Amino acid sequence: MKYALPLFALLLSSCAANVTEPARVSGAAPQSAQEALRPYYARLDVKLPKAPANPALSDDTVITRFAFGSCVNENRDMKFWDVIAAQKPQAFLLIGDNVYGDTRPTNGADIPTLTASYKKLNSRVEFDRFRRSIPMMTAWDDHDYGANDAGGAFAFKEWAENVYETYWGSSDEVKSRPGVYESRIVGPQGRRVQFIMLDGRFFRSDLATMPYRDPGPTLGWYIPNMDPNATILGKAQWDWLAQELEKPADVRFIISSTQVITDAHNFEGWTNFPKERERLYALLGQKGVNNAIFLTGDRHSGGFYKTTAPGLSKPLWDFTSSSLNFAFGKGDGSDREPDPRRTGGFWGIPNFGQIDIDWAAKKVTMTLRKDDGSVIETQVANAID
């Protein structure tokens, strides 16, 4: 039987329905919405969708080209999948808003719009063809997490995690812990690529917002959250990241669904949590990580950003690619969002990111491409140790 109770009714029923559970026998009340919902989810009888089969990326692969992108609306044109495949990437990273399955006012705690969006994606032949031919790694953002701009307080996040891990066939390691972060090192010694896929949703503290005003701000409502206890990654993920950065790798790609470097807007990003970004930069400096490049999405526009960080001898790059098929602009939107850290334009047209690694020259070429494969902009980073 499939349940679809409103949350307020669900919380009441879950407190009374199963008196044999230890928390109920002891009289202890649930300490969070997530805890209150667990008995409900345990009773759900739902067959969750799964993505088409995906070829494995061999651990000894010498990576010379991969691609990445974000923001796929499952109802829109999908020609970009064939265009990316024509570039012959050895892997593809889909780094958030992989479907638009947000909650609706009528949704139950089983988030039916999320599973419906994944089923719709499965019906798209271009995605099916791509998925069966190019190895993929994934991260999530808000629209496939389950609610716009949601973080750790999202009541349905444990079910959203189950849907995500089932659909994408997450590893046993990912399934064994809260959140969906993971890391992988590919390639032989001297040509090792590390992919670090962060989870900026499951543990994230609440966003701080401006007071209401009319008309509203054109570049978002959020302001920096300066609470010293506020977090993006949460303690367990921070500890894990520190361990991952100690592993030997020749170049590292740190994937964040939201932008890391820029302060030019008040939408979501690491700019919302300055102390967490300082901690990230400090960790890279402490570990001597001079070979990291951030890959980010979310913004429905693409561009390149560069900054310096204490303890690092090389600049940090943030390569934003968004959206694959759901862009909001018609070209370069730099005038709307000026940013001294951005090295070129801010392209509100459908795009994907391509990374080419020249191991002999120790150079990483980063290319932002249109959905027809043509080049928008290119930057080169000397990021290989």
Side-chain angles (χ1 to χ4, degrees), residues 181-194:
Y181 55 94
E182 62 180 319
S183 177
R184 183 163 182 203
I185 295 175
V186 178
Q189 184 174 353
R191 291 175 290 181
R192 293 166 297 197
V193 175
Q194 184 179 35

PDB file of all heavy atoms in Angstrom, residues 181-194:
ATOM      1  N   TYR A 181      27.818  11.628  -0.134  1.00  0.00           N
ATOM      2  CA  TYR A 181      29.165  11.988  -0.560  1.00  0.00           C
ATOM      3  C   TYR A 181      30.006  10.742  -0.844  1.00  0.00           C
ATOM      4  O   TYR A 181      29.807   9.681  -0.253  1.00  0.00           O
ATOM      5  CB  TYR A 181      29.841  12.874   0.485  1.00  0.00           C
ATOM      6  CG  TYR A 181      29.895  12.313   1.895  1.00  0.00           C
ATOM      7  CD1 TYR A 181      30.998  11.596   2.354  1.00  0.00           C
ATOM      8  CD2 TYR A 181      28.842  12.518   2.791  1.00  0.00           C
ATOM      9  CE1 TYR A 181      31.061  11.100   3.647  1.00  0.00           C
ATOM     10  CE2 TYR A 181      28.893  12.033   4.081  1.00  0.00           C
ATOM     11  CZ  TYR A 181      30.009  11.328   4.515  1.00  0.00           C
ATOM     12  OH  TYR A 181      30.065  10.842   5.799  1.00  0.00           O
ATOM     13  N   GLU A 182      30.961  10.895  -1.753  1.00  0.00           N
ATOM     14  CA  GLU A 182      31.837   9.779  -2.105  1.00  0.00           C
ATOM     15  C   GLU A 182      33.079  10.300  -2.808  1.00  0.00           C
ATOM     16  O   GLU A 182      33.144  11.455  -3.238  1.00  0.00           O
ATOM     17  CB  GLU A 182      31.118   8.778  -3.010  1.00  0.00           C
ATOM     18  CG  GLU A 182      30.659   9.344  -4.345  1.00  0.00           C
ATOM     19  CD  GLU A 182      29.948   8.312  -5.194  1.00  0.00           C
ATOM     20  OE1 GLU A 182      30.406   7.152  -5.223  1.00  0.00           O
ATOM     21  OE2 GLU A 182      28.935   8.652  -5.820  1.00  0.00           O
ATOM     22  N   SER A 183      34.087   9.436  -2.923  1.00  0.00           N
ATOM     23  CA  SER A 183      35.332   9.790  -3.589  1.00  0.00           C
ATOM     24  C   SER A 183      35.866   8.580  -4.342  1.00  0.00           C
ATOM     25  O   SER A 183      35.615   7.436  -3.954  1.00  0.00           O
ATOM     26  CB  SER A 183      36.364  10.253  -2.558  1.00  0.00           C
ATOM     27  OG  SER A 183      37.608  10.533  -3.172  1.00  0.00           O
ATOM     28  N   ARG A 184      36.596   8.875  -5.424  1.00  0.00           N
ATOM     29  CA  ARG A 184      37.184   7.790  -6.193  1.00  0.00           C
ATOM     30  C   ARG A 184      38.486   8.271  -6.812  1.00  0.00           C
ATOM     31  O   ARG A 184      38.572   9.413  -7.287  1.00  0.00           O
ATOM     32  CB  ARG A 184      36.224   7.321  -7.284  1.00  0.00           C
ATOM     33  CG  ARG A 184      36.788   6.139  -8.044  1.00  0.00           C
ATOM     34  CD  ARG A 184      35.783   5.393  -8.830  1.00  0.00           C
ATOM     35  NE  ARG A 184      36.418   4.266  -9.487  1.00  0.00           N
ATOM     36  CZ  ARG A 184      35.960   3.670 -10.566  1.00  0.00           C
ATOM     37  NH1 ARG A 184      34.829   4.076 -11.109  1.00  0.00           N
ATOM     38  NH2 ARG A 184      36.610   2.648 -11.102  1.00  0.00           N
ATOM     39  N   ILE A 185      39.492   7.411  -6.806  1.00  0.00           N
ATOM     40  CA  ILE A 185      40.767   7.684  -7.466  1.00  0.00           C
ATOM     41  C   ILE A 185      40.908   6.726  -8.636  1.00  0.00           C
ATOM     42  O   ILE A 185      40.759   5.505  -8.485  1.00  0.00           O
ATOM     43  CB  ILE A 185      41.943   7.538  -6.498  1.00  0.00           C
ATOM     44  CG1 ILE A 185      41.851   8.605  -5.402  1.00  0.00           C
ATOM     45  CG2 ILE A 185      43.284   7.653  -7.238  1.00  0.00           C
ATOM     46  CD1 ILE A 185      42.890   8.481  -4.312  1.00  0.00           C
ATOM     47  N   VAL A 186      41.203   7.287  -9.805  1.00  0.00           N
ATOM     48  CA  VAL A 186      41.301   6.513 -11.038  1.00  0.00           C
ATOM     49  C   VAL A 186      42.648   6.795 -11.690  1.00  0.00           C
ATOM     50  O   VAL A 186      43.050   7.959 -11.799  1.00  0.00           O
ATOM     51  CB  VAL A 186      40.160   6.874 -12.017  1.00  0.00           C
ATOM     52  CG1 VAL A 186      40.295   6.099 -13.324  1.00  0.00           C
ATOM     53  CG2 VAL A 186      38.805   6.611 -11.378  1.00  0.00           C
ATOM     54  N   GLY A 187      43.323   5.740 -12.118  1.00  0.00           N
ATOM     55  CA  GLY A 187      44.563   5.903 -12.858  1.00  0.00           C
ATOM     56  C   GLY A 187      45.778   5.383 -12.106  1.00  0.00           C
ATOM     57  O   GLY A 187      45.765   5.251 -10.878  1.00  0.00           O
ATOM     58  N   PRO A 188      46.871   5.098 -12.844  1.00  0.00           N
ATOM     59  CA  PRO A 188      48.096   4.591 -12.227  1.00  0.00           C
ATOM     60  C   PRO A 188      48.889   5.708 -11.559  1.00  0.00           C
ATOM     61  O   PRO A 188      48.619   6.894 -11.752  1.00  0.00           O
ATOM     62  CB  PRO A 188      48.856   4.024 -13.420  1.00  0.00           C
ATOM     63  CG  PRO A 188      48.432   4.887 -14.566  1.00  0.00           C
ATOM     64  CD  PRO A 188      46.993   5.213 -14.299  1.00  0.00           C
ATOM     65  N   GLN A 189      49.887   5.334 -10.780  1.00  0.00           N
ATOM     66  CA  GLN A 189      50.743   6.315 -10.115  1.00  0.00           C
ATOM     67  C   GLN A 189      51.343   7.267 -11.148  1.00  0.00           C
ATOM     68  O   GLN A 189      51.811   6.854 -12.203  1.00  0.00           O
ATOM     69  CB  GLN A 189      51.863   5.602  -9.354  1.00  0.00           C
ATOM     70  CG  GLN A 189      52.749   6.532  -8.562  1.00  0.00           C
ATOM     71  CD  GLN A 189      53.762   5.780  -7.703  1.00  0.00           C
ATOM     72  OE1 GLN A 189      53.714   4.556  -7.602  1.00  0.00           O
ATOM     73  NE2 GLN A 189      54.675   6.513  -7.082  1.00  0.00           N
ATOM     74  N   GLY A 190      51.298   8.541 -10.835  1.00  0.00           N
ATOM     75  CA  GLY A 190      51.777   9.566 -11.755  1.00  0.00           C
ATOM     76  C   GLY A 190      50.696  10.133 -12.642  1.00  0.00           C
ATOM     77  O   GLY A 190      50.881  11.205 -13.239  1.00  0.00           O
ATOM     78  N   ARG A 191      49.552   9.436 -12.717  1.00  0.00           N
ATOM     79  CA  ARG A 191      48.423   9.907 -13.518  1.00  0.00           C
ATOM     80  C   ARG A 191      47.104   9.593 -12.800  1.00  0.00           C
ATOM     81  O   ARG A 191      46.142   9.147 -13.406  1.00  0.00           O
ATOM     82  CB  ARG A 191      48.462   9.279 -14.915  1.00  0.00           C
ATOM     83  CG  ARG A 191      49.621   9.782 -15.772  1.00  0.00           C
ATOM     84  CD  ARG A 191      49.700   9.065 -17.101  1.00  0.00           C
ATOM     85  NE  ARG A 191      50.126   7.681 -16.938  1.00  0.00           N
ATOM     86  CZ  ARG A 191      50.294   6.813 -17.949  1.00  0.00           C
ATOM     87  NH1 ARG A 191      50.039   7.199 -19.201  1.00  0.00           N
ATOM     88  NH2 ARG A 191      50.693   5.573 -17.710  1.00  0.00           N
ATOM     89  N   ARG A 192      47.128   9.865 -11.517  1.00  0.00           N
ATOM     90  CA  ARG A 192      45.963   9.560 -10.682  1.00  0.00           C
ATOM     91  C   ARG A 192      45.024  10.766 -10.608  1.00  0.00           C
ATOM     92  O   ARG A 192      45.443  11.866 -10.251  1.00  0.00           O
ATOM     93  CB  ARG A 192      46.408   9.169  -9.266  1.00  0.00           C
ATOM     94  CG  ARG A 192      47.174   7.859  -9.201  1.00  0.00           C
ATOM     95  CD  ARG A 192      47.874   7.690  -7.874  1.00  0.00           C
ATOM     96  NE  ARG A 192      48.885   8.739  -7.685  1.00  0.00           N
ATOM     97  CZ  ARG A 192      49.875   8.669  -6.795  1.00  0.00           C
ATOM     98  NH1 ARG A 192      49.985   7.619  -6.007  1.00  0.00           N
ATOM     99  NH2 ARG A 192      50.742   9.652  -6.683  1.00  0.00           N
ATOM    100  N   VAL A 193      43.766  10.530 -10.923  1.00  0.00           N
ATOM    101  CA  VAL A 193      42.731  11.558 -10.826  1.00  0.00           C
ATOM    102  C   VAL A 193      41.814  11.199  -9.659  1.00  0.00           C
ATOM    103  O   VAL A 193      41.293  10.083  -9.586  1.00  0.00           O
ATOM    104  CB  VAL A 193      41.902  11.644 -12.122  1.00  0.00           C
ATOM    105  CG1 VAL A 193      40.754  12.646 -11.961  1.00  0.00           C
ATOM    106  CG2 VAL A 193      42.787  12.037 -13.305  1.00  0.00           C
ATOM    107  N   GLN A 194      41.624  12.152  -8.763  1.00  0.00           N
ATOM    108  CA  GLN A 194      40.690  11.950  -7.656  1.00  0.00           C
ATOM    109  C   GLN A 194      39.441  12.780  -7.878  1.00  0.00           C
ATOM    110  O   GLN A 194      39.515  13.980  -8.131  1.00  0.00           O
ATOM    111  CB  GLN A 194      41.331  12.338  -6.318  1.00  0.00           C
ATOM    112  CG  GLN A 194      40.425  12.042  -5.116  1.00  0.00           C
ATOM    113  CD  GLN A 194      41.068  12.394  -3.785  1.00  0.00           C
ATOM    114  OE1 GLN A 194      41.810  13.368  -3.693  1.00  0.00           O
ATOM    115  NE2 GLN A 194      40.783  11.601  -2.766  1.00  0.00           N
TER     116      GLN A 194
END
